Amino acid sequence: MDFSDISERGLVLLGCGKMGSAMLAGWLKGGLDPQSVTVIAPRPSDWVKSTGVRINAPLPVAPAVVLLAVKPQKMGEALPQLAALGNGHTLFLSVAAGLTLAKYEAILGEKTPIVRAMPNTPSAIGRGITAICGNAMTQDADLRIAEGLLGAIGQVVRLESEGQMDAVTAVSGSGPAYVFHLIETLAAAGVSQGLPAELAMTLAKATVGGAGQLAEDSPEDPAQLRVNVTSPGGTTAAALAVLMDEAQGFPALLERAVKAAADRGRELGA
């Protein structure tokens, strides 16, 4: 990414927990001058202090980007201190879940370019995927800047509209928890079949992690990969007969789970 405009005008990072730190690490590795970054955080970590960024220092007059990385419940308290930067040429990029573009506009001003993003927890190790959408004041150049900054923590996709954000939250935002639970339950099932708990967990973690990597790397789609593993009348086919049952298996269960998450997202964003 070309950091020239950010290096000249500055970048403000509001909040620097796991997600903010992961992004900051990626930017610095990519060549961003630490002195062009101002971190606002009540308790910056020792790592943040070691990077050479400006911490809780006076803000640039008109920074290129303000990245909002505080928890959603703290946004109402933290955001007003940046309101003076609204209605100008500063791009606001938020990675806080649940808060709508309209809520940001109410505080920052409707003429403020704002991009809303939904990353997920694998972003902390650079393996995330983030969906973005912008308000009416956002130009294509703003979205490209957002993509460049968020590219430090994984893949980035653009949404057609903000209305898709609740579905994204339910699939990829909350999705890692579904996978972690799959690992838990797969290991527990192994124990019920006679495996020691530690061995069952090792097998479950490696199986889910390896299958996920194969699904990402393979030119074949997941349905074909499933067929490749399944011998007619074999052990995998016996298990899939249970998991693929339309009434009680994964199809119905995950549809209900994702709908519940999306519905809750709409409630929280109302």
Side-chain angles (χ1 to χ4, degrees):
M1 177 180 176
D2 181 6
F3 288 115
S4 56
D5 189 43
I6 290 176
S7 295
E8 181 179 337
R9 296 172 54 198
L11 180 150
V12 175
L13 180 54
L14 180 64
C16 203
K18 288 184 179 180
M19 193 71 70
S21 294
M23 287 185 283
L24 178 58
W27 304 334
L28 297 177
K29 184 178 180 180
L32 179 62
D33 180 2
Q35 280 296 295
S36 67
V37 180
T38 303
V39 171
I40 304 174
R43 291 177 296 277
S45 67
D46 290 340
W47 176 81
V48 172
K49 294 176 183 177
S50 74
T51 60
V53 300
R54 303 169 72 246
I55 299 175
N56 297 324
L59 300 180
V61 176
V65 180
V66 171
L67 193 138
L68 307 172
V70 299
K71 295 183 183 300
Q73 58 268 33
K74 295 184 179 180
M75 193 67 74
E77 175 187 344
L79 196 55
Q81 65 184 297
L82 300 173
L85 300 176
N87 288 326
H89 299 291
T90 295
L91 170 64
F92 280 78
L93 171 59
S94 173
V95 295
L99 298 177
T100 64
L101 292 169
K103 289 185 177 180
Y104 288 114
E105 289 176 344
I107 297 174
L108 300 171
E110 61 182 17
K111 294 182 179 180
T112 306
I114 304 167
V115 171
R116 181 182 171 193
M118 171 49 66
N120 59 6
T121 53
S123 299
I125 59 168
R127 291 293 311 278
I129 186 162
T130 303
I132 63 172
C133 62
N135 67 345
M137 296 303 296
T138 304
Q139 306 298 315
D140 186 68
D142 297 315
L143 292 173
R144 288 199 303 271
I145 290 171
E147 287 171 335
L149 291 172
L150 293 164
I153 54 173
Q155 302 178 57
V156 184
V157 295
R158 295 189 190 186
L159 302 183
E160 295 176 0
S161 70
E162 189 180 18
Q164 296 177 317
M165 192 61 82
D166 292 313
V168 167
T169 302
V171 172
S172 61
S174 300
Y178 315 156
V179 177
F180 299 148
H181 187 51
L182 171 62
I183 294 172
E184 285 182 286
T185 53
L186 182 57
V191 171
S192 72
Q193 292 302 310
L195 292 175
E198 185 176 353
L199 174 58
M201 183 59 74
T202 298
L203 291 170
K205 285 181 178 179
T207 299
V208 173
Q213 188 67 62
L214 181 59
E216 274 208 275
D217 293 348
S218 176
E220 296 179 311
D221 65 30
Q224 184 59 50
L225 292 174
R226 169 179 51 77
V227 170
N228 295 347
V229 181
T230 309
S231 300
T235 59
T236 307
L240 289 174
V242 176
L243 294 175
M244 297 178 69
D245 182 276
E246 291 189 4
Q248 298 182 359
F250 275 173
L253 183 63
L254 281 177
E255 184 173 344
R256 294 203 311 273
V258 170
K259 182 180 184 302
D263 287 347
R264 182 56 177 157
R266 295 183 188 100
E267 289 173 3
L268 292 172

